[in-house]
């Protein structure tokens, strides 16, 4: 268990920290309010992405979303503080989850209110 060094609202910092941990052989499996839990493994480069949770979802992503993201190389890891969904990708050539800045900014609307 490690103390999270940045607030979840600093999405790029959290993503970079998780990727640094993976490069050290520690892979996220659970996020709590101030702590993250990791499972040990062989160090490797992976990408993590935090995606704002829709206000109406609670128990992980729907099967259709898991399947769609999985086809692109992204796997669901966990939800973080009821605010973000955490995805992981081991393929450096896989497409990003969100490529449309307008759609992406809309996902953050509830945090601006």
């Amino acid at each position: 268990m490690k103390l999270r060094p940045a607030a979840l609202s600093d999405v790029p910092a959290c993503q970079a920290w998780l990727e640094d941990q993976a490069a050290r052989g520690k892979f996220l499996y659970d996020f709590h309010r101030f702590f993250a839990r990791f499972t040990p493994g062989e160090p490797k480069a992976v990408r993590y992405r935090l995606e704002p949770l829709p206000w109406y979802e609670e128990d992980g992503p729907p099967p259709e979303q898991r399947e769609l993201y999985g086809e692109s190389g992204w796997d669901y890891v966990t939800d973080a503080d009821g605010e973000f969904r955490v995805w992981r990708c081991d393929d450096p050539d896989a497409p990003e989850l969100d490529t449309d800045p307008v759609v992406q900014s809309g996902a953050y609307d509830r945090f601006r209110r």
Side-chain angles (χ1 to χ4, degrees), residues 40-102:
E42 194 65 34
K44 63 181 175 177
V46 300
R47 292 185 288 164
Y48 283 95
R49 294 296 177 262
L50 275 65
E51 180 180 66
L53 276 170
W55 62 270
Y56 53 84
E57 287 186 25
E58 293 183 13
D59 296 326
E64 301 82 19
Q65 185 181 24
R66 285 183 193 234
E67 182 179 342
L68 180 66
Y69 283 21
E71 289 172 1
S72 296
W74 292 90
D75 296 309
Y76 169 70
V77 179
T78 189
D79 288 348
D81 290 348
E83 294 180 3
F84 290 93
R85 186 151 286 148
V86 182
W87 298 89
R88 176 182 144 182
C89 182
D90 295 356
D91 180 1
D93 297 323
E96 284 292 331
L97 291 177
D98 295 307
T99 56
D100 185 331
V102 174

Side-chain angles (χ1 to χ4, degrees), residues 6 8-9 13 17-18 21 38 40 54 57 63 70 80 88-89 101 106:
L8 277 176
S9 59
W17 177 67
L18 292 170
Q21 294 304 308
F38 297 87
E57 287 186 25
R88 176 182 144 182
C89 182

